[in-house]
Each structure stands twice: as structure tokens, then as C-alpha cells.
Amino acid sequence: MAAAVAPVISPKEDLPPPLNSASEPPPLFDGTTRLYLAYHCPYAQRAWITRNCKGLQDKIKVVAIDLADRPAWFKEKVYPDNKVPVLEHNNQVKGESLDLVKYIDSNFDGPALLPDDSAKKQFAEELLAFSDGFNSAFFSCLRSKGDVSAEAAAAVDKIEAALGKFSDGPFFLGQFSLVDIAYVPFIERFQIFYSGIKKDDIAKGRPNLQKYIEEVNKVDAYTQTKLDPQFLLVQMKEKFGIA
């Protein structure tokens, strides 16, 4: 696995280096709210974007974990499942990325990341429920040889249709929301991976997705979490054993 690196990010925030097996733990459960993440993990990126969207950089401290050389104390003292993202808040630990982004949105100050409109709320839940299937279709296709599978093509076609449902903005619910936070780390990676491995442009012939990618890259809370595309591509090729 490629070594953990800090992302290319705007100078708005000074991010810490990842902690590894030789690192001492922070002063756990001392009242500080901490978001444990790995800079290259798309699931952790969801929580990181949410924190940034809510303007919580001063209230939620980032603690980076080196997933290739994890500190023993992280599993023993913080989160027995030994994965990220994890939020340490009010002497409790919260995990699972989709649950965590909802928790941050509901329990901290800052702009609401789900609209009040009932139709949009219902559509948000449908899209959040589909996110695992979307990711599974794309990762399965990456593991296989040959062209893009019908399953992966159907998944991205569903995203293309979803992006056309509301006309009051380029995002899934019109305006940027938790649904975009759930999907954009994976859309970002799949665009990189499919271009670099399958020689396929997932946005080609899909104008809603093309516009979405253009507009989401204007959202600071997201762009501040992005890694170098070449780093992500090399890491994925190593993970799947692709030459």
C-alpha cells in the first residue's frame, strides 16, 4: 500500500501528519471533539467534508490515522472496529460514515445539510440507501478485466437521472447537501480510476454528471479534502494488483 500522505489543501487549515504504530495517542476523552480519519479514505472524506461544510474546523479536531500502520491504541482505546471515520464527542465514539455525517449535521451548529422540503428529504433517503450499491457496482467492475460492466453503466445512468430531478441547482437536491457529501468522494475516485484503468470517461454523454463535477469542484469544503489524482490511481492499482 502506498504511504499515507497529507492532501494538497488550501492554506485555510494546517493538517497534522498521520499517526502510526509508533505514535502516542492524544489525550483521549478529555472533552476535545476529534474526527479520526485517513486522508485517502473516501468514507472518512464524507465526515471531513461535513465538518468543513458546517464550519467546524475550530470545534472538531482532525486526527489522521495511518491505515497501513495503525496504532494499537486506536483499536484498544478508541474504536474496536479499527476503522475510520470515527468521531470522539461527549465521551462517546460514533462510527459508520453515513450515520456520522447525519450525526454531525444534527448535533453541531452550522448550515443545515438537508433541506426542509419533504420531497427532497424522501429523495435524499432513497439516494443514501443506493450509495452502497453504487459503490459496489463500480468496485466490482474495477476488479474485473474488460470494459465497463452493464451494472456499473446502469449505476452511473441512475446518478445521471437523479441529478436531473430538481432544477434549482446542479446538485442531487438542487443545492449542495449530505447526498452530495455521500457520493462525491466516490464519483471523484471512479472518474479517476475508470479513466486511468478502463480508459473510460464516466461523464461522457452524461451532461448532468459533467455539470455536477464542474460545480462540485467549486465547493471549498470538498476541494479542501481532495488528494492528488495520480496518488489515488497508483494506490488503487496497487490495491487491486493492476499493472
Side-chain angles (χ1 to χ4, degrees), residues 55-104:
L56 299 170
Q57 287 88 338
D58 293 333
K59 295 184 179 180
I60 300 180
K61 183 178 180 179
V62 164
V63 179
I65 300 295
D66 184 347
L67 297 184
D69 185 22
R70 304 177 201 214
W73 53 259
F74 181 67
K75 180 178 181 179
E76 294 167 359
K77 299 180 178 180
V78 179
Y79 198 51
D81 288 354
N82 203 26
K83 60 184 181 179
V84 293
V86 173
L87 187 73
E88 176 190 336
H89 180 234
N90 287 345
N91 292 318
Q92 295 183 318
V93 172
K94 308 286 185 181
E96 299 301 329
S97 64
L98 290 181
D99 294 338
L100 191 48
V101 297
K102 291 180 180 180
Y103 179 86
I104 294 172

Side-chain angles (χ1 to χ4, degrees), residues 160 163 191 201-217:
E160 172 70 11
L163 286 167
Q191 185 182 35
D201 180 1
I202 65 170
K204 185 177 181 180
R206 298 181 176 102
N208 293 336
L209 182 57
Q210 182 65 52
K211 181 67 173 177
Y212 177 85
I213 291 169
E214 292 173 4
E215 293 300 318
V216 79
N217 276 286

Side-chain angles (χ1 to χ4, degrees), residues 5 45 57 75 93-94 119 166 177 183 188 218 227 232:
V5 297
Q45 191 179 2
Q57 287 88 338
K75 180 178 181 179
V93 172
K94 308 286 185 181
F166 296 107
S177 72
Y183 277 91
E188 170 194 344
K218 299 175 185 177
L227 284 165
L232 292 175

Side-chain angles (χ1 to χ4, degrees), residues 226-239:
K226 291 182 67 176
L227 284 165
D228 176 68
Q230 189 62 30
F231 168 78
L232 292 175
L233 180 60
V234 169
Q235 185 190 55
M236 181 56 60
K237 285 183 174 181
E238 290 179 357
K239 182 176 180 179

Side-chain angles (χ1 to χ4, degrees), residues 12-55:
K12 295 179 182 178
E13 185 174 10
D14 184 19
L15 291 166
L19 302 180
N20 59 29
S21 61
S23 304
E24 292 295 319
L28 303 172
F29 305 108
D30 63 344
T32 302
T33 301
R34 297 181 176 90
L35 175 61
Y36 296 87
L37 51 73
Y39 293 129
H40 63 279
C41 173
Y43 296 95
Q45 191 179 2
R46 287 169 164 174
W48 189 8
I49 297 168
T50 305
R51 163 190 178 266
N52 293 354
C53 276
K54 303 284 284 186

